[in-house]
Amino acid sequence: TALIEARDVTLSFGETPALRGASFRAEAGEIVAVMGPSGSGKSTLLHCLAGILVPDSGEVTFTGDRIDQMSETRRSALRRDRFGFVFQFGQLVPELTAQENVALPLLLGGVRRAAAMERARVWFERLGLSGMEGRRSGELSGGQAQRVALGRALVAEPEVLFADEPTGALDSLTGEQVMELLVGSAREQGTTVVLVTHEPRVAAYADREVIVRDGRVAMTEGVAS
Ligand code: ADP
Ligand code: ADP
């Protein structure tokens, strides 16, 4: 059974159709790459799966529950408590230290500061960033900032990690380091990953890939589902 699934989803931005009957599923622990040309609807599909956007028609389910029928309050709680996000640009909070950025989801989830900061610190070792806990985003390289963003996305052990072009702003070597850490950590935690990318080298880290064209999932490859 699917952990997260979209069935025949449509969504338009005004007159622009972004999704035109897209279906997608990911099993628990599976890492699925979503590929396809620019403008084909990859990000919109991710946003629907993550409960950021509500489709015009079709169904989105997570553990069998209809995300598309939830109130904004419930969707927001789901995103905070059970999903993690990493985007092309880390979007760290510049006023906070790197460690505070990683601790943030725990603090928002009600974990006390000392415990949250300690759990965040452990991530700095895992990410190869020991000694950088006190830096702010302006004092980190692009790759370091993206690793911090990855720690922030995973620290609360989400069931699903949504990654939208996580290496898009990085050179290929730095991108590979980020992908090694992303995939390694997700496997360790059993986190399902929905990975939007247009780079075949990045998609190669996934168990399976789907290709989006003109708002539909046109093709799937790799491990049978
Ligand atoms: P991809 O991620 O594959 O590049 P997107 O899902 O971002 O594609 O976009 C799909 C289509 O929807 C494109 O035509 C894009 O311009 C349009 N689109 C995406 N987001 C918006 C938005 N917020 N407002 C208007 N049009 C949008
Ligand atoms: P992506 O790499 O996800 O395709 P884009 O640069 O296409 O990123 O879009 C970045 C943001 O702008 C997204 O949040 C998307 O929803 C929004 N967007 C994309 N196309 C449009 C559009 N035509 N009008 C308004 N917003 C858009």
Side-chain angles (χ1 to χ4, degrees), residues 34-71:
V34 179
M35 308 242 337
S38 179
S40 58
K42 302 182 296 296
S43 292
T44 306
L45 176 61
L46 181 146
H47 292 156
C48 287
L49 289 165
I52 295 168
L53 289 173
V54 176
D56 300 331
S57 69
E59 298 181 2
V60 181
T61 56
F62 171 66
T63 65
D65 297 326
R66 289 284 295 273
I67 295 180
D68 56 292
Q69 295 181 334
M70 290 177 188
S71 65

mmCIF file of all heavy atoms in Angstrom, residues 34-71:
data_model
loop_
_atom_site.group_PDB
_atom_site.id
_atom_site.type_symbol
_atom_site.label_atom_id
_atom_site.label_comp_id
_atom_site.label_asym_id
_atom_site.label_seq_id
_atom_site.Cartn_x
_atom_site.Cartn_y
_atom_site.Cartn_z
ATOM 1 N N VAL A 34 11.160 12.531 -9.270
ATOM 2 C CA VAL A 34 10.170 13.086 -10.193
ATOM 3 C C VAL A 34 10.942 13.934 -11.194
ATOM 4 O O VAL A 34 11.498 14.969 -10.842
ATOM 5 C CB VAL A 34 9.123 13.925 -9.452
ATOM 6 C CG1 VAL A 34 8.115 14.528 -10.426
ATOM 7 C CG2 VAL A 34 8.411 13.083 -8.390
ATOM 8 N N MET A 35 10.994 13.450 -12.433
ATOM 9 C CA MET A 35 11.758 14.131 -13.475
ATOM 10 C C MET A 35 10.809 14.738 -14.504
ATOM 11 O O MET A 35 9.623 14.509 -14.458
ATOM 12 C CB MET A 35 12.683 13.123 -14.193
ATOM 13 C CG MET A 35 13.537 12.327 -13.256
ATOM 14 S SD MET A 35 15.299 12.526 -13.414
ATOM 15 C CE MET A 35 15.658 13.104 -15.008
ATOM 16 N N GLY A 36 11.375 15.440 -15.458
ATOM 17 C CA GLY A 36 10.553 16.011 -16.523
ATOM 18 C C GLY A 36 10.997 17.419 -16.836
ATOM 19 O O GLY A 36 11.696 18.049 -16.050
ATOM 20 N N PRO A 37 10.577 17.928 -17.989
ATOM 21 C CA PRO A 37 11.025 19.249 -18.423
ATOM 22 C C PRO A 37 10.529 20.373 -17.519
ATOM 23 O O PRO A 37 9.566 20.194 -16.771
ATOM 24 C CB PRO A 37 10.430 19.393 -19.832
ATOM 25 C CG PRO A 37 9.620 18.195 -20.101
ATOM 26 C CD PRO A 37 9.724 17.249 -18.968
ATOM 27 N N SER A 38 11.190 21.498 -17.611
ATOM 28 C CA SER A 38 10.787 22.693 -16.869
ATOM 29 C C SER A 38 9.353 23.066 -17.257
ATOM 30 O O SER A 38 8.992 23.023 -18.427
ATOM 31 C CB SER A 38 11.758 23.826 -17.205
ATOM 32 O OG SER A 38 11.380 24.981 -16.523
ATOM 33 N N GLY A 39 8.539 23.372 -16.255
ATOM 34 C CA GLY A 39 7.161 23.763 -16.508
ATOM 35 C C GLY A 39 6.198 22.605 -16.694
ATOM 36 O O GLY A 39 5.017 22.818 -16.968
ATOM 37 N N SER A 40 6.666 21.366 -16.527
ATOM 38 C CA SER A 40 5.793 20.213 -16.777
ATOM 39 C C SER A 40 4.845 19.936 -15.613
ATOM 40 O O SER A 40 3.887 19.183 -15.769
ATOM 41 C CB SER A 40 6.636 18.970 -17.079
ATOM 42 O OG SER A 40 7.507 18.687 -16.010
ATOM 43 N N GLY A 41 5.120 20.522 -14.439
ATOM 44 C CA GLY A 41 4.218 20.331 -13.304
ATOM 45 C C GLY A 41 4.831 19.610 -12.115
ATOM 46 O O GLY A 41 4.116 19.267 -11.166
ATOM 47 N N LYS A 42 6.142 19.405 -12.131
ATOM 48 C CA LYS A 42 6.800 18.649 -11.061
ATOM 49 C C LYS A 42 6.611 19.305 -9.696
ATOM 50 O O LYS A 42 6.211 18.651 -8.736
ATOM 51 C CB LYS A 42 8.311 18.523 -11.346
ATOM 52 C CG LYS A 42 8.649 17.867 -12.669
ATOM 53 C CD LYS A 42 10.154 17.725 -12.859
ATOM 54 C CE LYS A 42 10.930 19.039 -12.942
ATOM 55 N NZ LYS A 42 10.549 19.850 -14.128
ATOM 56 N N SER A 43 6.925 20.604 -9.619
ATOM 57 C CA SER A 43 6.801 21.296 -8.325
ATOM 58 C C SER A 43 5.360 21.335 -7.862
ATOM 59 O O SER A 43 5.077 21.188 -6.664
ATOM 60 C CB SER A 43 7.325 22.733 -8.427
ATOM 61 O OG SER A 43 8.714 22.727 -8.615
ATOM 62 N N THR A 44 4.449 21.537 -8.797
ATOM 63 C CA THR A 44 3.032 21.592 -8.433
ATOM 64 C C THR A 44 2.573 20.246 -7.882
ATOM 65 O O THR A 44 1.838 20.187 -6.889
ATOM 66 C CB THR A 44 2.188 22.017 -9.646
ATOM 67 O OG1 THR A 44 2.715 23.244 -10.154
ATOM 68 C CG2 THR A 44 0.735 22.221 -9.275
ATOM 69 N N LEU A 45 3.031 19.153 -8.487
ATOM 70 C CA LEU A 45 2.700 17.822 -7.978
ATOM 71 C C LEU A 45 3.239 17.654 -6.559
ATOM 72 O O LEU A 45 2.523 17.197 -5.659
ATOM 73 C CB LEU A 45 3.276 16.746 -8.918
ATOM 74 C CG LEU A 45 3.101 15.296 -8.462
ATOM 75 C CD1 LEU A 45 1.621 14.933 -8.338
ATOM 76 C CD2 LEU A 45 3.814 14.338 -9.426
ATOM 77 N N LEU A 46 4.497 18.052 -6.355
ATOM 78 C CA LEU A 46 5.088 17.975 -5.009
ATOM 79 C C LEU A 46 4.260 18.791 -4.018
ATOM 80 O O LEU A 46 3.965 18.332 -2.912
ATOM 81 C CB LEU A 46 6.546 18.436 -5.051
ATOM 82 C CG LEU A 46 7.329 18.405 -3.729
ATOM 83 C CD1 LEU A 46 8.793 18.054 -3.984
ATOM 84 C CD2 LEU A 46 7.249 19.725 -2.996
ATOM 85 N N HIS A 47 3.882 20.005 -4.423
ATOM 86 C CA HIS A 47 3.115 20.866 -3.517
ATOM 87 C C HIS A 47 1.751 20.252 -3.188
ATOM 88 O O HIS A 47 1.259 20.408 -2.066
ATOM 89 C CB HIS A 47 2.947 22.263 -4.128
ATOM 90 C CG HIS A 47 4.246 23.025 -4.208
ATOM 91 N ND1 HIS A 47 4.468 24.043 -5.117
ATOM 92 C CD2 HIS A 47 5.398 22.908 -3.506
ATOM 93 C CE1 HIS A 47 5.706 24.509 -4.952
ATOM 94 N NE2 HIS A 47 6.287 23.839 -3.982
ATOM 95 N N CYS A 48 1.138 19.547 -4.125
ATOM 96 C CA CYS A 48 -0.143 18.868 -3.847
ATOM 97 C C CYS A 48 0.068 17.696 -2.892
ATOM 98 O O CYS A 48 -0.701 17.500 -1.946
ATOM 99 C CB CYS A 48 -0.781 18.368 -5.140
ATOM 100 S SG CYS A 48 -1.471 19.687 -6.161
ATOM 101 N N LEU A 49 1.118 16.899 -3.131
ATOM 102 C CA LEU A 49 1.395 15.751 -2.258
ATOM 103 C C LEU A 49 1.680 16.217 -0.831
ATOM 104 O O LEU A 49 1.316 15.559 0.134
ATOM 105 C CB LEU A 49 2.601 14.958 -2.782
ATOM 106 C CG LEU A 49 2.376 14.170 -4.073
ATOM 107 C CD1 LEU A 49 3.714 13.737 -4.669
ATOM 108 C CD2 LEU A 49 1.489 12.946 -3.804
ATOM 109 N N ALA A 50 2.331 17.375 -0.718
ATOM 110 C CA ALA A 50 2.756 17.889 0.590
ATOM 111 C C ALA A 50 1.676 18.705 1.282
ATOM 112 O O ALA A 50 1.898 19.216 2.377
ATOM 113 C CB ALA A 50 4.016 18.730 0.415
ATOM 114 N N GLY A 51 0.522 18.860 0.656
ATOM 115 C CA GLY A 51 -0.548 19.629 1.298
ATOM 116 C C GLY A 51 -0.286 21.124 1.316
ATOM 117 O O GLY A 51 -0.860 21.852 2.125
ATOM 118 N N ILE A 52 0.572 21.595 0.415
ATOM 119 C CA ILE A 52 0.816 23.041 0.289
ATOM 120 C C ILE A 52 -0.240 23.633 -0.646
ATOM 121 O O ILE A 52 -0.758 24.722 -0.409
ATOM 122 C CB ILE A 52 2.242 23.313 -0.243
ATOM 123 C CG1 ILE A 52 3.287 22.839 0.770
ATOM 124 C CG2 ILE A 52 2.438 24.785 -0.598
ATOM 125 C CD1 ILE A 52 4.709 22.795 0.230
ATOM 126 N N LEU A 53 -0.555 22.907 -1.713
ATOM 127 C CA LEU A 53 -1.615 23.296 -2.646
ATOM 128 C C LEU A 53 -2.723 22.254 -2.597
ATOM 129 O O LEU A 53 -2.456 21.069 -2.382
ATOM 130 C CB LEU A 53 -1.068 23.365 -4.081
ATOM 131 C CG LEU A 53 -0.115 24.502 -4.427
ATOM 132 C CD1 LEU A 53 0.449 24.296 -5.837
ATOM 133 C CD2 LEU A 53 -0.832 25.846 -4.321
ATOM 134 N N VAL A 54 -3.948 22.693 -2.811
ATOM 135 C CA VAL A 54 -5.093 21.781 -2.880
ATOM 136 C C VAL A 54 -5.513 21.670 -4.340
ATOM 137 O O VAL A 54 -5.748 22.688 -4.998
ATOM 138 C CB VAL A 54 -6.265 22.305 -2.024
ATOM 139 C CG1 VAL A 54 -7.478 21.404 -2.171
ATOM 140 C CG2 VAL A 54 -5.837 22.405 -0.566
ATOM 141 N N PRO A 55 -5.577 20.444 -4.882
ATOM 142 C CA PRO A 55 -5.934 20.297 -6.291
ATOM 143 C C PRO A 55 -7.374 20.704 -6.578
ATOM 144 O O PRO A 55 -8.216 20.729 -5.679
ATOM 145 C CB PRO A 55 -5.727 18.799 -6.564
ATOM 146 C CG PRO A 55 -5.712 18.147 -5.243
ATOM 147 C CD PRO A 55 -5.263 19.163 -4.231
ATOM 148 N N ASP A 56 -7.642 21.021 -7.854
ATOM 149 C CA ASP A 56 -9.010 21.330 -8.283
ATOM 150 C C ASP A 56 -9.866 20.067 -8.294
ATOM 151 O O ASP A 56 -11.050 20.117 -7.993
ATOM 152 C CB ASP A 56 -8.992 21.941 -9.691
ATOM 153 C CG ASP A 56 -8.178 23.229 -9.746
ATOM 154 O OD1 ASP A 56 -8.116 23.928 -8.710
ATOM 155 O OD2 ASP A 56 -7.600 23.527 -10.806
ATOM 156 N N SER A 57 -9.263 18.948 -8.683
ATOM 157 C CA SER A 57 -9.973 17.669 -8.634
ATOM 158 C C SER A 57 -8.958 16.562 -8.443
ATOM 159 O O SER A 57 -7.761 16.775 -8.560
ATOM 160 C CB SER A 57 -10.775 17.452 -9.927
ATOM 161 O OG SER A 57 -9.893 17.229 -11.010
ATOM 162 N N GLY A 58 -9.472 15.362 -8.132
ATOM 163 C CA GLY A 58 -8.586 14.243 -7.834
ATOM 164 C C GLY A 58 -8.409 14.103 -6.336
ATOM 165 O O GLY A 58 -9.002 14.854 -5.554
ATOM 166 N N GLU A 59 -7.604 13.118 -5.934
ATOM 167 C CA GLU A 59 -7.437 12.803 -4.517
ATOM 168 C C GLU A 59 -5.962 12.744 -4.159
ATOM 169 O O GLU A 59 -5.158 12.270 -4.948
ATOM 170 C CB GLU A 59 -8.021 11.410 -4.218
ATOM 171 C CG GLU A 59 -9.500 11.291 -4.479
ATOM 172 C CD GLU A 59 -10.027 9.896 -4.131
ATOM 173 O OE1 GLU A 59 -9.239 9.041 -3.659
ATOM 174 O OE2 GLU A 59 -11.236 9.685 -4.328
ATOM 175 N N VAL A 60 -5.650 13.227 -2.974
ATOM 176 C CA VAL A 60 -4.308 13.050 -2.423
ATOM 177 C C VAL A 60 -4.462 12.406 -1.060
ATOM 178 O O VAL A 60 -5.210 12.912 -0.211
ATOM 179 C CB VAL A 60 -3.559 14.391 -2.280
ATOM 180 C CG1 VAL A 60 -2.154 14.160 -1.731
ATOM 181 C CG2 VAL A 60 -3.491 15.127 -3.609
ATOM 182 N N THR A 61 -3.804 11.258 -0.861
ATOM 183 C CA THR A 61 -3.912 10.588 0.431
ATOM 184 C C THR A 61 -2.535 10.387 1.048
ATOM 185 O O THR A 61 -1.545 10.173 0.355
ATOM 186 C CB THR A 61 -4.603 9.205 0.312
ATOM 187 O OG1 THR A 61 -3.886 8.422 -0.639
ATOM 188 C CG2 THR A 61 -6.043 9.340 -0.129
ATOM 189 N N PHE A 62 -2.500 10.477 2.367
ATOM 190 C CA PHE A 62 -1.314 10.160 3.164
ATOM 191 C C PHE A 62 -1.776 9.212 4.259
ATOM 192 O O PHE A 62 -2.728 9.533 4.975
ATOM 193 C CB PHE A 62 -0.699 11.439 3.753
ATOM 194 C CG PHE A 62 0.398 11.179 4.746
ATOM 195 C CD1 PHE A 62 1.593 10.588 4.336
ATOM 196 C CD2 PHE A 62 0.240 11.509 6.083
ATOM 197 C CE1 PHE A 62 2.603 10.338 5.246
ATOM 198 C CE2 PHE A 62 1.254 11.270 7.000
ATOM 199 C CZ PHE A 62 2.428 10.679 6.587
ATOM 200 N N THR A 63 -1.153 8.035 4.343
ATOM 201 C CA THR A 63 -1.600 6.947 5.234
ATOM 202 C C THR A 63 -3.121 6.758 5.130
ATOM 203 O O THR A 63 -3.801 6.533 6.126
ATOM 204 C CB THR A 63 -1.204 7.181 6.714
ATOM 205 O OG1 THR A 63 -1.876 8.340 7.220
ATOM 206 C CG2 THR A 63 0.293 7.386 6.873
ATOM 207 N N GLY A 64 -3.626 6.860 3.910
ATOM 208 C CA GLY A 64 -5.048 6.625 3.658
ATOM 209 C C GLY A 64 -5.955 7.814 3.933
ATOM 210 O O GLY A 64 -7.132 7.773 3.603
ATOM 211 N N ASP A 65 -5.431 8.875 4.541
ATOM 212 C CA ASP A 65 -6.260 10.050 4.842
ATOM 213 C C ASP A 65 -6.225 11.041 3.684
ATOM 214 O O ASP A 65 -5.171 11.287 3.113
ATOM 215 C CB ASP A 65 -5.769 10.760 6.119
ATOM 216 C CG ASP A 65 -5.876 9.875 7.348
ATOM 217 O OD1 ASP A 65 -6.826 9.064 7.407
ATOM 218 O OD2 ASP A 65 -4.997 9.990 8.229
ATOM 219 N N ARG A 66 -7.373 11.625 3.373
ATOM 220 C CA ARG A 66 -7.479 12.577 2.265
ATOM 221 C C ARG A 66 -6.914 13.939 2.646
ATOM 222 O O ARG A 66 -7.580 14.733 3.303
ATOM 223 C CB ARG A 66 -8.959 12.732 1.868
ATOM 224 C CG ARG A 66 -9.563 11.526 1.163
ATOM 225 C CD ARG A 66 -9.129 11.415 -0.284
ATOM 226 N NE ARG A 66 -9.592 12.518 -1.113
ATOM 227 C CZ ARG A 66 -10.756 12.562 -1.735
ATOM 228 N NH1 ARG A 66 -11.602 11.571 -1.635
ATOM 229 N NH2 ARG A 66 -11.075 13.597 -2.488
ATOM 230 N N ILE A 67 -5.690 14.213 2.195
ATOM 231 C CA ILE A 67 -5.067 15.523 2.457
ATOM 232 C C ILE A 67 -5.869 16.636 1.800
ATOM 233 O O ILE A 67 -6.028 17.726 2.361
ATOM 234 C CB ILE A 67 -3.624 15.547 1.898
ATOM 235 C CG1 ILE A 67 -2.738 14.556 2.634
ATOM 236 C CG2 ILE A 67 -3.030 16.957 1.996
ATOM 237 C CD1 ILE A 67 -1.316 14.540 2.131
ATOM 238 N N ASP A 68 -6.382 16.366 0.591
ATOM 239 C CA ASP A 68 -7.069 17.421 -0.159
ATOM 240 C C ASP A 68 -8.389 17.829 0.498
ATOM 241 O O ASP A 68 -8.945 18.865 0.150
ATOM 242 C CB ASP A 68 -7.304 16.972 -1.611
ATOM 243 C CG ASP A 68 -8.077 15.668 -1.684
ATOM 244 O OD1 ASP A 68 -7.521 14.628 -1.281
ATOM 245 O OD2 ASP A 68 -9.244 15.685 -2.118
ATOM 246 N N GLN A 69 -8.873 17.016 1.442
ATOM 247 C CA GLN A 69 -10.117 17.380 2.131
ATOM 248 C C GLN A 69 -9.881 17.969 3.512
ATOM 249 O O GLN A 69 -10.832 18.324 4.209
ATOM 250 C CB GLN A 69 -11.029 16.148 2.235
ATOM 251 C CG GLN A 69 -11.508 15.656 0.873
ATOM 252 C CD GLN A 69 -12.434 14.459 0.974
ATOM 253 O OE1 GLN A 69 -12.357 13.701 1.939
ATOM 254 N NE2 GLN A 69 -13.300 14.288 -0.011
ATOM 255 N N MET A 70 -8.616 18.064 3.896
ATOM 256 C CA MET A 70 -8.315 18.598 5.228
ATOM 257 C C MET A 70 -8.390 20.115 5.239
ATOM 258 O O MET A 70 -8.138 20.765 4.233
ATOM 259 C CB MET A 70 -6.897 18.201 5.652
ATOM 260 C CG MET A 70 -6.745 16.735 5.963
ATOM 261 S SD MET A 70 -5.010 16.394 6.364
ATOM 262 C CE MET A 70 -5.077 14.613 6.451
ATOM 263 N N SER A 71 -8.657 20.663 6.410
ATOM 264 C CA SER A 71 -8.594 22.115 6.596
ATOM 265 C C SER A 71 -7.144 22.565 6.496
ATOM 266 O O SER A 71 -6.223 21.760 6.660
ATOM 267 C CB SER A 71 -9.130 22.481 7.981
ATOM 268 O OG SER A 71 -8.267 21.944 8.977
#
